[in-house]
Amino acid sequence: MSAAELEPDPAPTLSEIARAAGVSAPTVSKVLNGRTDVAPATRAKVEEILRRTGYRRRRTTAPPSRLLDLVFHQLDSAWAVEVIRGVENVARDEGLSIVLSESAGRLTPGQTWVDGVLARRPAGVVLVLSDLDAAQRDQLTSRDIPFVVLDPAGDPADGVPAVGTGNWQGGLAATRHLLDLGHRRIAVISGPSGMMCSRARVDGYRTALETARLPVDPELIHEGDFHHEAGYAAARALLTHDDRPTAIFAGNDLQALGVYEAARELGLRVPQDLSVVGFDDLPLARWVGPPLTTVRQPLVEMAETAARLAVELGRGEHPAATRVDLATSLVVRASTAPPPADSPPLPTR
């Protein structure tokens, strides 16, 4: 039997895959299980036949392990801790252990990680701010390993389960809050422009200004990276400008802390001289001085939803929805107030 003779329907057996690839059934089994003792060319040939024929491992042949894989593109913030807490809640309820990985800043994990997942055969995979390329998706699908993307960095491919949040609505609410207080010059410090959540938050900011019939000043839009240092650097640049903003939407709570630091160094008081809004509502937002007004992103609930979805798919269940967006909400604290009296008034809305 040649590779060309295999068709997606009916589903091929492992022996048929082996004959089409010109290898033994044990070799195909090694590829399916992520074993590294297979020549790269042979592995690629088997993977291509698995992909083209739509092969999926039968559930009854090899039950999954009692593991749940959780992979971050970066694992270095309080944000990640909230996500881990949510996944752990589900893992504990399901009697699963978590395997935690980081893809070193890449939005797509490397093949070494994929090989490890194939060898572990977890009950499910949750990818945070990451995604899989087409070949990697095919590899997990052929082994019947379900995966869910949490807070996608980009637009997930058709059929990829994903859990997100109302980033655009959150950016809109944050900016409208500042407008309602009377602010006219409102700056925004976004996250990386390549991330969908960053773009959505800035789009919400733009929409709020346009609805208020205010111009969107490109000089008031700075790109950050969702870390404290980026918030500090952008705020220094904004606040030393001749026509500095009276309010900054920091894009996330960590960048908001950087804004606090820059304002303090420049002798500006929050909120008397500068209002600040963050995004996420991490626990630290309640304890900084002054407590931070922020957009609550339900991180624990998002992580629980993603983990539960992965587990349900792994059990062969059919959830009512595989694309879920949870709502954001504005949490008003002490970091926002009307602008100083000498600020230009808002136009009539």
Side-chain angles (χ1 to χ4, degrees):
M1 179 182 293
S2 69
E5 291 172 330
L6 275 178
E7 298 295 337
D9 190 24
T13 65
L14 188 145
S15 296
E16 289 171 332
I17 294 290
R19 287 198 298 273
V23 299
S24 67
T27 297
V28 175
S29 180
K30 287 181 180 181
V31 174
L32 285 169
N33 290 303
R35 292 273 295 276
T36 58
D37 53 341
V38 179
T42 301
R43 178 186 298 278
K45 186 174 184 180
V46 173
E47 290 286 3
E48 169 58 21
I49 295 172
L50 292 171
R51 183 200 63 77
R52 189 167 50 74
T53 59
Y55 174 87
R56 293 195 68 161
R57 171 179 260 155
R58 292 168 175 80
R59 292 182 185 276
T60 57
T61 60
S65 63
R66 302 301 297 169
L67 299 174
L68 189 61
D69 259 72
L70 174 60
V71 58
F72 289 84
H73 87 296
Q74 285 184 318
L75 184 57
D76 61 353
S77 71
W79 187 94
V81 172
E82 296 301 291
V83 172
I84 293 170
R85 180 175 293 119
V87 173
E88 173 62 27
N89 289 343
V90 174
R92 183 172 55 251
D93 291 344
E94 298 289 339
L96 302 173
S97 298
I98 297 175
V99 177
L100 189 60
S101 306
E102 183 193 50
S103 56
R106 299 189 303 267
L107 295 181
T108 301
Q111 187 59 40
T112 300
W113 173 83
V114 175
D115 290 341
V117 170
L118 302 186
R120 287 190 293 274
R121 296 210 66 244
V125 175
V126 176
L127 299 115
V128 185
L129 275 175
S130 304
D131 203 350
L132 303 173
D133 61 32
Q136 293 170 338
R137 291 196 296 271
D138 288 338
Q139 285 181 285
L140 266 64
T141 298
S142 66
R143 279 72 167 184
D144 206 26
I145 300 173
F147 55 92
V148 177
V149 179
L150 173 61
D151 200 9
D155 189 18
D158 290 344
V160 173
V163 176
T165 192
N167 288 293
W168 179 87
Q169 185 63 44
L172 181 75
T175 311
R176 279 185 171 169
H177 170 64
L178 295 169
L179 289 169
D180 289 342
L181 287 171
H183 291 276
R184 184 171 184 271
R185 283 188 63 76
I186 303 171
V188 63
I189 304 171
S190 74
S193 59
M195 290 187 177
M196 186 167 62
C197 63
S198 301
R199 298 194 301 271
R201 292 172 197 180
V202 174
D203 286 346
Y205 158 87
R206 291 177 181 273
T207 300
L209 293 178
E210 291 165 355
T211 302
R213 290 182 287 185
L214 287 172
V216 177
D217 185 350
E219 291 189 358
L220 293 178
I221 301 175
H222 283 235
E223 181 176 341
D225 61 6
F226 286 150
H227 290 88
H228 172 277
E229 294 78 9
Y232 170 80
R236 287 281 307 192
L238 287 162
L239 297 175
T240 53
H241 196 277
D242 289 339
D243 190 13
R244 65 173 177 82
T246 60
I248 296 178
F249 169 35
N252 80 332
D253 292 349
L254 295 180
Q255 290 186 153
L257 297 186
V259 175
Y260 273 36
E261 182 180 357
R264 183 172 60 252
E265 287 185 358
L266 295 170
L268 296 174
R269 300 165 300 165
V270 177
Q272 294 91 336
D273 303 312
L274 177 71
S275 286
V276 182
V277 180
F279 200 109
D280 285 336
D281 194 25
L282 298 175
L284 58 83
R286 300 190 297 273
W287 306 118
V288 295
L292 179 66
T293 294
T294 187
V295 177
R296 182 178 185 271
Q297 181 175 209
L299 292 172
V300 173
E301 294 91 332
M302 290 166 62
E304 289 173 342
T305 301
R308 194 169 292 111
L309 180 56
V311 170
E312 290 173 355
L313 291 169
R315 287 198 291 249
E317 299 176 10
H318 300 283
T322 57
R323 291 287 180 97
V324 181
D325 278 324
L326 301 184
T328 55
S329 58
L330 182 68
V331 181
V332 179
R333 297 193 179 100
S335 68
T336 49
D342 56 354
S343 296
L346 269 173
T348 302
R349 293 171 62 188

